[in-house]
Amino acid sequence: MEITIKIDKRSKQAKAFYEYLKTLPFVELGEPRYNKDTEIAIKEAKSRKTSKISLEDFRKELYS
């Protein structure tokens, strides 16, 4: 069985709880490698939900 718990680590209590969870042998903590937007972009790229764009158009979009 797998359970997902979201912990806001900004409070002392949450940090202490998180540190406690790390000590338990049966708990596996999976933290995202990147922020939410980057994770979504990676999933889209892997599933080929992307579009091609020329370098010139990309630069125009980036700097406008």
Side-chain angles (χ1 to χ4, degrees):
M1 178 169 59
E2 193 171 307
I3 298 173
T4 301
I5 300 174
K6 292 184 180 184
I7 301 172
D8 183 354
K9 294 188 260 180
R10 290 182 282 188
S11 74
K12 270 186 172 182
Q13 293 167 326
K15 285 179 188 175
F17 180 60
Y18 179 76
E19 291 302 319
Y20 169 69
L21 289 175
K22 288 186 351 184
T23 66
L24 300 174
F26 53 87
V27 173
E28 182 180 318
L29 299 173
E31 294 190 35
R33 297 175 295 173
Y34 308 105
N35 68 31
K36 196 176 199 177
D37 292 334
T38 305
E39 289 289 345
I40 291 170
I42 290 170
K43 285 180 185 175
E44 287 177 354
K46 285 183 179 178
S47 64
R48 301 194 186 272
K49 292 182 181 176
T50 59
S51 57
K52 290 187 178 187
I53 187 170
S54 71
L55 182 58
E56 184 178 322
D57 290 340
F58 175 73
R59 286 182 177 155
K60 285 178 186 175
E61 205 174 296
L62 188 63
Y63 296 116
S64 61

